[in-house]
């Protein structure tokens, strides 16, 4: 357990999970978020995920919201590319993000999207929204 190991009460945990199969990715993502949130409830947990298709992403969002993890912010970037060989979209679920994260992350993602597409015939779209918000009710 993190507390027994001497880890501080507040910290950041970045999860970049391995994906053995597309069918298991949401199950493992939700399991890891719930597990680490129980073990380290005051931490900020950042989970990266590929957006394979819209229905799987919507399912992940619903399942995370149903976990009642407190404040959960989602940041996503989608690329409009001619090539189908690369992942077109991915996102990050942020559990318990610091207070100003939502305001600060949108312009950073937009700048990153411009940098990543400047040598290609492509465009990047970003979306930042609260999946759940305890204090202010700003959610989808």
């Amino acid at each position: 357990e993190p507390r027994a190991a001497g880890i501080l009460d507040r910290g950041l945990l970045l999860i970049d999970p391995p994906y053995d199969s597309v069918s298991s990715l949401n199950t493992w993502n939700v399991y890891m978020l719930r597990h680490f949130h129980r073990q380290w409830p005051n931490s900020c947990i950042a989970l990266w995920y590929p957006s394979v298709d819209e229905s799987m992403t919507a399912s992940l969002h619903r399942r995370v919201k149903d976990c009642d993890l407190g404040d959960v912010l989602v940041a996503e970037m989608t690329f409009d590319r001619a090539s189908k060989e690369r992942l077109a979209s991915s996102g990050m679920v942020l559990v318990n993000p610091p207070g100003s994260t939502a305001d600060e992350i949108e312009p950073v993602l937009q700048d990153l999207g411009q940098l990543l597409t400047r040598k290609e015939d492509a465009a990047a779209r970003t979306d930042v929204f609260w999946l759940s918000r305890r204090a202010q009710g700003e959610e989808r």
Side-chain angles (χ1 to χ4, degrees):
E1 289 187 32
R3 291 180 204 274
I7 294 178
L8 299 174
D9 190 44
R10 182 96 170 127
L12 172 65
L13 175 64
L14 174 61
I15 303 171
D16 182 4
Y19 294 106
D20 297 327
S21 70
V22 171
S23 64
S24 68
L25 91 113
N26 279 352
T27 301
W28 279 110
N29 284 342
V30 172
Y31 171 80
M32 285 187 290
L33 285 174
R34 290 178 64 198
H35 172 76
F36 289 118
H37 187 260
R38 275 194 299 259
Q39 295 295 315
W40 202 10
N42 294 325
S43 66
C44 175
I45 303 169
L47 170 76
W48 176 85
Y49 60 90
S51 183
V52 178
D53 65 44
E54 289 181 27
S55 65
M56 285 188 72
T57 301
S59 173
L60 175 64
H61 291 169
R62 274 191 310 277
R63 291 177 69 185
V64 169
K65 189 173 182 177
D66 289 346
C67 288
D68 192 29
L69 301 172
D71 292 344
V72 179
L73 183 67
V74 173
E76 295 178 329
M77 185 178 294
T78 302
F79 296 96
D80 298 321
R81 290 190 167 119
S83 170
K84 300 285 185 192
E85 296 173 8
R86 296 188 210 168
L87 183 64
S89 183
S90 66
M92 188 161 287
V93 170
L94 299 159
V95 177
N96 293 328
S100 62
T101 303
D103 295 330
E104 295 173 1
I105 201 166
E106 181 73 34
V108 171
L109 278 180
Q110 291 173 356
D111 290 346
L112 179 60
Q114 289 177 355
L115 285 171
L116 293 173
T117 59
R118 69 180 176 179
K119 291 185 179 180
E120 300 179 29
D121 185 22
R125 289 177 281 119
T126 61
D127 195 14
V128 177
F129 59 92
W130 289 103
L131 196 55
S132 63
R133 185 91 166 127
R134 279 200 177 135
Q136 300 171 355
E138 303 173 29
E139 57 185 62
R140 278 195 184 177

